[in-house]
Coordinates of all heavy atoms in Angstrom, one line a residue:
L830 N -213.8 -17.8 -49.5 CA -212.3 -17.8 -49.6 C -211.9 -16.6 -50.4 O -212.7 -16.0 -51.1 CB -211.9 -19.1 -50.5 CG -211.9 -20.4 -49.8 CD1 -211.6 -21.5 -50.8 CD2 -210.9 -20.5 -48.7
R831 N -210.6 -16.2 -50.1 CA -210.1 -15.1 -50.8 C -208.8 -15.5 -51.5 O -207.8 -16.0 -50.9 CB -209.8 -14.0 -49.9 CG -209.2 -12.7 -50.5 CD -209.0 -11.7 -49.4 NE -208.2 -10.5 -49.8 CZ -208.8 -9.4 -50.2 NH1 -210.1 -9.3 -50.4 NH2 -208.1 -8.3 -50.6
L832 N -208.8 -15.4 -52.8 CA -207.6 -15.8 -53.6 C -206.8 -14.5 -53.9 O -207.3 -13.4 -54.0 CB -208.0 -16.4 -54.9 CG -208.9 -17.6 -54.9 CD1 -209.1 -18.2 -56.3 CD2 -208.3 -18.7 -54.0
S833 N -205.5 -14.7 -53.9 CA -204.6 -13.6 -54.3 C -203.6 -14.0 -55.4 O -203.3 -15.2 -55.5 CB -203.8 -13.2 -53.0 OG -204.6 -12.7 -52.0
C834 N -203.2 -13.1 -56.2 CA -202.3 -13.4 -57.2 C -201.3 -12.2 -57.3 O -201.6 -11.1 -57.6 CB -203.0 -13.5 -58.6 SG -201.9 -13.8 -60.0
A835 N -200.0 -12.6 -57.0 CA -198.9 -11.6 -57.0 C -198.2 -11.6 -58.3 O -197.9 -12.7 -58.8 CB -198.0 -11.9 -55.9
A836 N -198.0 -10.5 -58.9 CA -197.4 -10.4 -60.2 C -196.1 -9.7 -60.1 O -195.9 -8.7 -59.4 CB -198.3 -9.6 -61.2
S837 N -195.1 -10.2 -60.9 CA -193.8 -9.5 -61.0 C -193.9 -8.5 -62.1 O -194.7 -8.6 -63.0 CB -192.7 -10.5 -61.2 OG -192.9 -11.1 -62.5
G838 N -192.9 -7.6 -62.1 CA -192.8 -6.6 -63.2 C -193.6 -5.3 -63.0 O -194.6 -5.3 -62.3
S839 N -193.0 -4.3 -63.6 CA -193.6 -3.0 -63.4 C -194.8 -2.7 -64.3 O -195.4 -1.6 -64.2 CB -192.5 -1.9 -63.7 OG -192.0 -2.1 -65.0
I840 N -195.1 -3.7 -65.2 CA -196.2 -3.4 -66.1 C -197.6 -3.7 -65.5 O -198.6 -3.5 -66.1 CB -196.1 -4.3 -67.4 CG1 -196.1 -5.8 -67.0 CG2 -194.8 -3.9 -68.1 CD1 -196.2 -6.7 -68.2
F841 N -197.6 -4.3 -64.3 CA -198.8 -4.8 -63.7 C -199.9 -3.7 -63.8 O -201.0 -4.0 -64.2 CB -198.6 -5.2 -62.3 CG -199.8 -5.6 -61.5 CD1 -200.4 -6.9 -61.7 CD2 -200.5 -4.7 -60.7 CE1 -201.5 -7.2 -61.0 CE2 -201.7 -5.0 -60.1 CZ -202.2 -6.3 -60.2
R842 N -199.6 -2.5 -63.4 CA -200.6 -1.5 -63.3 C -201.3 -1.1 -64.6 O -202.3 -0.5 -64.7 CB -200.1 -0.3 -62.6 CG -199.1 0.5 -63.4 CD -198.5 1.6 -62.6 NE -197.8 1.1 -61.4 CZ -197.5 1.9 -60.4 NH1 -197.8 3.2 -60.4 NH2 -196.8 1.4 -59.3
F843 N -200.6 -1.5 -65.7 CA -201.1 -1.2 -67.0 C -201.9 -2.3 -67.7 O -202.5 -2.2 -68.7 CB -200.0 -0.8 -68.0 CG -199.1 0.3 -67.4 CD1 -197.8 0.1 -67.1 CD2 -199.7 1.6 -67.3 CE1 -197.0 1.1 -66.6 CE2 -198.9 2.6 -66.8 CZ -197.6 2.4 -66.4
N844 N -202.0 -3.4 -67.0 CA -202.5 -4.6 -67.6 C -203.9 -5.0 -66.9 O -204.1 -4.9 -65.7 CB -201.6 -5.8 -67.4 CG -200.6 -5.9 -68.4 OD1 -200.1 -4.9 -68.9 ND2 -200.2 -7.1 -68.8
A845 N -204.8 -5.5 -67.8 CA -206.0 -6.1 -67.3 C -205.5 -7.5 -66.7 O -204.6 -8.1 -67.1 CB -207.0 -6.4 -68.4
M846 N -206.3 -7.9 -65.7 CA -206.0 -9.2 -65.0 C -207.3 -10.0 -64.9 O -208.4 -9.4 -64.9 CB -205.5 -8.9 -63.6 CG -204.2 -8.1 -63.4 SD -202.8 -8.9 -64.1 CE -202.7 -10.4 -63.0
G847 N -207.1 -11.3 -64.9 CA -208.3 -12.1 -64.9 C -208.1 -13.3 -64.0 O -206.9 -13.7 -63.7
W848 N -209.2 -13.9 -63.5 CA -209.2 -15.2 -62.9 C -210.0 -16.1 -63.7 O -211.1 -15.8 -64.2 CB -209.9 -15.0 -61.5 CG -209.0 -14.4 -60.4 CD1 -209.0 -13.1 -60.0 CD2 -208.0 -15.0 -59.7 NE1 -208.1 -12.9 -59.0 CE2 -207.4 -14.1 -58.8 CE3 -207.5 -16.4 -59.6 CZ2 -206.4 -14.4 -57.9 CZ3 -206.4 -16.6 -58.7 CH2 -205.9 -15.7 -57.9
Y849 N -209.4 -17.3 -63.9 CA -210.1 -18.4 -64.7 C -210.1 -19.6 -63.7 O -209.5 -19.6 -62.7 CB -209.3 -18.7 -65.9 CG -209.3 -17.7 -67.0 CD1 -208.6 -16.5 -66.9 CD2 -210.0 -18.0 -68.2 CE1 -208.6 -15.6 -67.9 CE2 -210.0 -17.1 -69.2 CZ -209.3 -15.9 -69.1 OH -209.3 -15.0 -70.1
R850 N -211.0 -20.5 -64.1 CA -211.0 -21.8 -63.4 C -211.2 -22.9 -64.3 O -211.8 -22.8 -65.4 CB -212.1 -21.8 -62.3 CG -213.5 -21.7 -62.9 CD -214.5 -21.5 -61.7 NE -215.9 -21.5 -62.2 CZ -217.0 -21.2 -61.4 NH1 -216.7 -20.9 -60.1 NH2 -218.2 -21.2 -61.9
Q851 N -210.8 -24.1 -63.9 CA -211.0 -25.3 -64.7 C -211.3 -26.4 -63.7 O -210.5 -26.8 -62.9 CB -209.7 -25.6 -65.5 CG -209.9 -26.8 -66.4 CD -208.7 -26.9 -67.4 OE1 -207.6 -26.3 -67.2 NE2 -209.0 -27.5 -68.5
A852 N -212.5 -27.0 -64.0 CA -213.0 -28.1 -63.2 C -212.6 -29.4 -64.0 O -212.4 -29.3 -65.2 CB -214.5 -28.0 -63.0
P853 N -212.5 -30.5 -63.3 CA -212.2 -31.8 -63.9 C -213.1 -32.1 -65.1 O -214.3 -32.0 -65.0 CB -212.3 -32.8 -62.8 CG -212.1 -32.0 -61.6 CD -212.7 -30.7 -61.8
G854 N -212.5 -32.4 -66.3 CA -213.3 -32.7 -67.4 C -214.0 -31.5 -68.1 O -214.7 -31.7 -69.1
K855 N -213.7 -30.3 -67.7 CA -214.3 -29.1 -68.3 C -213.2 -28.2 -68.8 O -212.0 -28.3 -68.5 CB -215.2 -28.4 -67.3 CG -216.4 -29.2 -66.8 CD -217.3 -28.4 -66.0 CE -218.5 -29.1 -65.6 NZ -219.5 -28.3 -64.8
Q856 N -213.6 -27.3 -69.7 CA -212.7 -26.3 -70.3 C -212.5 -25.2 -69.3 O -213.3 -25.0 -68.4 CB -213.3 -25.7 -71.6 CG -213.3 -26.7 -72.7 CD -213.7 -26.0 -74.0 OE1 -214.4 -25.1 -74.1 NE2 -213.1 -26.5 -75.1
R857 N -211.3 -24.6 -69.4 CA -211.0 -23.5 -68.6 C -212.0 -22.3 -68.9 O -212.2 -22.1 -70.1 CB -209.6 -23.0 -68.8 CG -209.1 -22.0 -67.8 CD -207.6 -21.8 -67.9 NE -206.8 -23.0 -67.6 CZ -205.5 -23.1 -67.5 NH1 -204.8 -21.9 -67.6 NH2 -204.9 -24.2 -67.2
E858 N -212.5 -21.6 -67.9 CA -213.5 -20.6 -68.2 C -213.1 -19.3 -67.4 O -212.5 -19.4 -66.3 CB -214.9 -21.0 -67.8 CG -215.0 -21.3 -66.3 CD -216.5 -21.6 -65.9 OE1 -217.4 -21.5 -66.7 OE2 -216.7 -22.0 -64.7
L859 N -213.5 -18.2 -68.0 CA -213.2 -16.9 -67.3 C -214.2 -16.8 -66.2 O -215.4 -16.9 -66.3 CB -213.4 -15.8 -68.3 CG -213.2 -14.4 -67.7 CD1 -211.8 -14.1 -67.2 CD2 -213.7 -13.3 -68.7
V860 N -213.7 -16.4 -65.0 CA -214.5 -16.2 -63.8 C -214.8 -14.7 -63.6 O -215.9 -14.2 -63.4 CB -213.9 -16.8 -62.5 CG1 -214.7 -16.4 -61.3 CG2 -213.7 -18.3 -62.7
A861 N -213.7 -13.9 -63.7 CA -213.8 -12.5 -63.4 C -212.5 -11.8 -64.0 O -211.5 -12.4 -64.1 CB -213.9 -12.2 -61.9
A862 N -212.7 -10.5 -64.4 CA -211.6 -9.8 -65.0 C -211.7 -8.3 -64.5 O -212.8 -7.9 -64.2 CB -211.6 -9.9 -66.5
I863 N -210.6 -7.7 -64.5 CA -210.5 -6.3 -64.1 C -209.5 -5.6 -65.0 O -208.4 -6.1 -65.2 CB -210.2 -6.1 -62.6 CG1 -210.2 -4.7 -62.2 CG2 -208.8 -6.8 -62.2 CD1 -210.2 -4.5 -60.6
T864 N -209.9 -4.4 -65.5 CA -209.0 -3.7 -66.4 C -208.0 -2.8 -65.5 O -208.2 -2.8 -64.3 CB -209.8 -2.7 -67.3 OG1 -210.4 -1.7 -66.4 CG2 -210.9 -3.4 -68.0
S865 N -207.1 -2.2 -66.2 CA -206.1 -1.4 -65.4 C -206.8 -0.2 -64.8 O -206.4 0.3 -63.7 CB -205.1 -0.9 -66.4 OG -205.6 -0.1 -67.4
G866 N -208.0 0.2 -65.3 CA -208.7 1.3 -64.7 C -209.7 0.9 -63.7 O -210.4 1.7 -63.1
G867 N -209.9 -0.4 -63.5 CA -210.7 -0.9 -62.4 C -212.1 -1.4 -62.9 O -212.9 -1.8 -62.0
T868 N -212.4 -1.4 -64.2 CA -213.6 -1.9 -64.7 C -213.6 -3.4 -64.6 O -212.6 -4.1 -64.9 CB -213.8 -1.5 -66.1 OG1 -213.8 -0.1 -66.2 CG2 -215.2 -2.0 -66.6
T869 N -214.7 -4.0 -64.1 CA -214.8 -5.4 -63.8 C -215.9 -6.1 -64.7 O -216.8 -5.4 -65.1 CB -215.1 -5.7 -62.3 OG1 -216.3 -5.1 -62.0 CG2 -214.0 -5.1 -61.4
N870 N -215.7 -7.3 -64.9 CA -216.8 -8.1 -65.5 C -216.7 -9.6 -64.9 O -215.6 -10.0 -64.5 CB -216.8 -8.2 -67.0 CG -215.6 -8.9 -67.6 OD1 -214.5 -8.4 -67.6 ND2 -215.9 -10.1 -68.0
Y871 N -217.8 -10.2 -64.8 CA -217.9 -11.5 -64.2 C -218.7 -12.5 -65.0 O -219.6 -12.1 -65.8 CB -218.7 -11.3 -62.8 CG -218.0 -10.4 -61.8 CD1 -218.3 -9.1 -61.8 CD2 -217.1 -11.0 -61.0 CE1 -217.6 -8.3 -60.9 CE2 -216.4 -10.1 -60.0 CZ -216.7 -8.8 -60.0 OH -216.1 -8.0 -59.1
A872 N -218.4 -13.8 -64.8 CA -219.2 -14.8 -65.4 C -220.6 -14.8 -64.7 O -220.7 -14.4 -63.5 CB -218.6 -16.2 -65.2

């Protein structure tokens, strides 16, 4: 699957972005993140 997230505002390119997930009965957790410069990290 491919998820997309569209952001409003001109600040997008300066912000790190992340994807989180929350399964039933569990805490929300970081799945992946990407900085404004394109550096990534993953669970």
Side-chain angles (χ1 to χ4, degrees):
L830 282 174
R831 181 178 172 90
L832 305 183
S833 299
C834 176
S837 66
S839 59
I840 63 171
F841 174 83
R842 67 186 62 196
F843 303 114
N844 275 35
M846 300 293 298
W848 284 98
Y849 289 71
R850 67 186 181 188
Q851 187 166 19
K855 294 187 177 181
Q856 289 188 329
R857 191 171 296 188
E858 63 175 355
L859 177 66
V860 176
I863 184 167
T864 68
S865 59
T868 301
T869 59
N870 69 284
Y871 298 91

